Amino acid sequence: MVTDNLTPVTVVGLGDMGRALAAALLAAGHPTTVWNRTPHRADDLVRAGATRADTVAGAVRASRVVVVCLLDYPTAREVLAPAAGELAGRTVVNLTNGTPAEATATARWVRGLGGDYLDGGIMAIPRMIGQPGALILYSGSEAAYRAERALLERLGAGRFLGADPGAAALHDLALLAGMYGLFGGFLHAVAMVDGPARAFTDELLVPWLTAMTGVLPELADQIDAEKYPAESANLAMQAVSIANITAASADRGVDPALLAPLRALVDRRVAQGSGGDDISTVVELLRVGAR
Ligand code: FVH
């Protein structure tokens, strides 16, 4: 039920995530205006009480807070361009996935037009929005974050990462990098074994990976200290294991494409004389030219 004393909000972009965001705001009672390039994607939201705007400028004009969730930043800039004259005095909360540089440029653009800007990285899938477990990283205007915190908490727990507008995007992408590493390992593992992937995943893979996440804080400490002494699993031994995985995969007709880049890095680091280090030492090869 819409409650008039709650902050009116506009949601621009009604893909899978935008619809989840709008539904959560609507369910919490915020007067919610929606806009999407393909208007029919708003139908369920309108039936639930949202207001459909005919133009993006009209959508922006309707609310002080404008949540944007589109495919990417070029799309967001293209979509918002006709509403540029309406952004003054409003807060744009951009939850579109993109790079820190794109977030910084978009913050400059919105601020140049007299608006306030908060960038966000959604660490959740649509069905988690508004539920415990959904996390959204924010950076940019701290004043906007504090002012709109109650509204933002309707979407998920918020974490403010500082005034640099690119910080949320950077941490979002770093977390996704970790996730895709996990997915890559999962895909290779299930490709190797016979039988149902589900049983292998439930009975063996998830417990193993869960146990291995316990090693990550120790590896992180080594990376912070820039010292990588192997406590129990030296890199030269791990290089042999990775070679064995590659050979067994080839025997079973499994493409080692996902494993090959890690193997190359590990072998290079061993050749550099770091075979007695832990696998954390490989970060030295990745950070060349970083920061
Ligand atoms: N879905 C997820 O699990 C992830 C979770 C983490 C955050 N991401 C990011 O959220 C952004 C939106 O993702 P999405 O899942 O809503 O994506 P789609 O369902 O594909 O919807 C895309 C929306 O963008 C609109 N759009 C695309 N191209 C254009 C364009 N040229 N002009 C105007 N609008 C455009 C599209 O409109 P339509 O196709 O319905 O007309 C949708 O509104 C994204 O950054 C994720 O990385 C989601």
Side-chain angles (χ1 to χ4, degrees), residues 57-259:
V60 169
R61 211 178 299 126
S63 312
R64 194 188 71 231
V65 179
V66 179
V67 174
V68 178
C69 190
L70 291 157
L71 180 64
D72 55 18
Y73 276 74
T75 302
R77 289 288 291 271
E78 185 189 321
V79 164
L80 288 176
E86 307 290 345
L87 291 176
R90 306 190 195 281
T91 296
V92 173
V93 181
N94 187 8
L95 302 181
T96 302
N97 181 274
T99 67
E102 288 176 318
T104 301
T106 306
R108 200 176 304 123
W109 180 69
V110 171
R111 287 171 185 162
L113 293 165
D116 211 352
Y117 185 83
L118 198 53
D119 203 84
I122 304 175
M123 307 320 301
I125 57 174
R127 68 167 179 265
M128 292 165 67
I129 295 300
Q131 306 296 321
L135 170 68
I136 305 186
L137 307 175
Y138 294 100
S139 63
S141 167
E142 186 165 1
Y145 179 68
R146 294 200 182 287
E148 311 307 344
R149 193 154 185 189
L151 180 152
L152 298 174
E153 294 280 329
R154 306 292 190 185
L155 305 175
R159 179 145 177 199
F160 186 72
L161 297 179
D164 172 2
L170 176 66
H171 288 79
D172 179 358
L173 294 178
L175 291 177
L176 290 178
M179 180 191 79
Y180 283 116
L182 181 75
F183 287 173
F186 161 77
L187 291 169
H188 191 95
V190 296
M192 284 182 75
V193 294
D194 298 322
R198 180 58 192 257
F200 169 73
T201 301
D202 285 350
E203 292 165 24
L204 293 171
L205 188 59
V206 169
W208 167 243
L209 292 179
T210 304
M212 282 299 97
T213 59
V215 174
L216 297 182
E218 197 180 307
L219 298 180
D221 284 344
Q222 293 173 350
I223 289 166
D224 286 340
E226 298 182 23
K227 293 192 181 356
Y228 315 99
E231 299 285 334
S232 56
N234 69 73
L235 197 66
M237 174 278 291
Q238 297 198 54
V240 174
S241 298
I242 297 171
N244 287 338
I245 301 168
T246 306
S249 299
D251 288 347
R252 300 180 69 76
V254 174
D255 189 330
L258 285 167
L259 205 59

Side-chain angles (χ1 to χ4, degrees), residues 256-267 282:
L258 285 167
L259 205 59
L262 178 64
R263 184 182 182 194
L265 287 164
V266 167
D267 287 350
V282 170

Side-chain angles (χ1 to χ4, degrees), residues 14-17 36-38 41 70-71 75 79 97 122 124 126:
L14 301 173
D16 294 330
M17 184 52 83
N36 195 57
R37 173 181 65 173
T38 308
R41 295 186 96 172
L70 291 157
L71 180 64
T75 302
V79 164
N97 181 274
I122 304 175

